[in-house]
Amino acid sequence: MKKSVRKAVIAGNWKMNKTPSEASELIKQIAEKAEGKNGCEVVLCVPFVDLCAASDAAKGTNVKIGAQNVHFEEKGAFTGEISVSMLKEVGAEYVIIGHSERRQYFGESNETVNKRVKAALAGGLKVILCVGETLDEREKGITGETVSVQTKIALLDVDSEALKNVIIAYEPVWAIGTGKTATADQAQEVCAKIREVLADKYGNDAAEATTIQYGGSMNAANAAELLAKVDIDGGLIGGASLKSEDFGVIIDAAQ
Ligand code: PGA
């Protein structure tokens, strides 16, 4: 299968930005940019409290809505957590799981990532699974090993049918929010490695069909070069997804 056959997905990760009213406004602007751009899927992953407003604003447009995390239990005594069914009811189709900020600041481990991935898939959400090495791991020469372990553990007990609803986002931790982008060659090398891990587990066809994104200071200026690489099928974009002009340029680059 060729890269052109895989679904390109340009996803925004708004992190802890925008109130519900601000979200509606920005989604309207982004939806205008996304109109008629059928060469990629456009997803915006917004804060939990923005989901209702975001789903309303995205209705009838090309934009899909996602959340930034989900708990693995269906319900119960988990103060502050949100379940899959709650997300679905307010219109989320996607969920980011295992973002490095969750791993760094909120005790997320490969094991809890796996539990969240399984729960989200079982409940019918599409998953954007984040993996990526720290600067220390890159300097030690264990980037490949790190992303392999993260990918393998996250996908334990996920079968090839369920894999169809998984996007993998390669996000080098040192490139997130720092303005330091991985070079297109560095990003390509790791995305190819991730595809190799998928091929070992699921076979070539499933690996070739899986969308792999790059994330980490992707912006209007560097998106085209990154997206031109054979194993980079989209982007997970933080800062630049909060500016409709810049995000529009990235959507165009993915066409
Ligand atoms: P950034 O964030 O584009 O602001 O570097 C990417 C991400 O964290 O998903």
Side-chain angles (χ1 to χ4, degrees):
M1 189 181 284
K2 292 202 190 78
K3 174 187 166 85
S4 57
V5 187
R6 283 193 287 273
K7 191 170 55 169
V9 181
I10 298 297
N13 173 12
W14 282 6
K15 309 193 181 186
M16 196 172 73
N17 292 291
K18 304 294 172 189
T19 64
S21 58
E22 291 167 347
S24 300
E25 194 48 44
L26 182 54
I27 288 169
K28 280 182 200 137
Q29 292 169 14
I30 290 176
E32 274 176 31
K33 308 277 178 202
E35 203 183 324
K37 309 283 167 61
N38 298 320
C40 71
E41 179 131 319
V42 177
V43 182
L44 294 171
C45 297
V46 304
F48 288 135
V49 296
D50 292 356
L51 282 165
C52 280
S55 304
D56 277 350
K59 237 171 237 147
T61 75
N62 249 353
V63 174
K64 311 259 193 266
I65 299 299
Q68 300 169 13
N69 189 24
V70 67
H71 195 62
F72 39 83
E73 295 292 346
E74 278 173 33
K75 60 177 155 185
F78 302 100
T79 303
E81 293 297 321
I82 303 280
S83 72
V84 173
S85 56
M86 291 172 187
L87 292 183
K88 290 200 65 178
E89 198 167 318
V90 290
E93 281 182 54
Y94 283 83
V95 62
I96 296 173
I97 296 180
H99 190 278
S100 66
E101 285 151 17
R102 302 290 323 165
R103 295 179 192 254
Q104 266 181 297
Y105 309 138
F106 301 102
E108 190 80 73
S109 67
N110 286 329
E111 287 70 25
T112 54
V113 167
N114 175 239
K115 285 185 175 184
R116 291 181 209 276
V117 167
K118 285 188 291 189
L121 292 171
L125 287 172
K126 292 178 185 156
V127 168
I128 299 177
L129 164 65
C130 299
V131 300
E133 82 288 4
T134 61
L135 186 58
D136 183 52
E137 287 161 341
R138 176 160 284 266
E139 285 171 348
K140 287 187 171 126
I142 55 169
T143 296
E145 288 85 345
T146 302
V147 299
S148 297
V149 167
Q150 289 172 335
T151 305
K152 282 183 193 171
I153 297 180
L155 295 177
L156 280 175
D157 302 320
V158 172
D159 63 22
S160 53
E161 199 46 40
L163 183 74
K164 292 179 182 160
N165 288 316
V166 177
I167 292 169
I168 301 192
Y170 165 55
E171 298 206 307
V173 179
W174 49 271
I176 294 176
T178 58
K180 242 195 241 175
T181 323
T183 65
D185 286 340
Q186 281 173 325
Q188 161 58 28
E189 187 185 358
V190 184
C191 290
K193 173 74 196 172
I194 292 167
R195 207 177 297 286
E196 227 176 85
V197 170
L198 296 177
D200 276 352
K201 174 164 179 174
Y202 297 102
N204 273 334
D205 288 353
E208 284 296 321
T210 303
T211 296
I212 301 180
Q213 298 172 318
Y214 169 78
S217 299
M218 190 187 263
N219 58 39
N222 61 26
E225 190 189 353
L226 287 157
L227 293 169
K229 290 291 177 184
V230 64
D231 284 298
I232 303 179
D233 310 311
L236 181 57
I237 296 117
S241 71
L242 294 165
K243 298 176 206 137
S244 58
E245 286 296 326
D246 292 16
F247 200 58
V249 173
I250 299 173
I251 292 168
D252 287 344
Q255 293 311 299

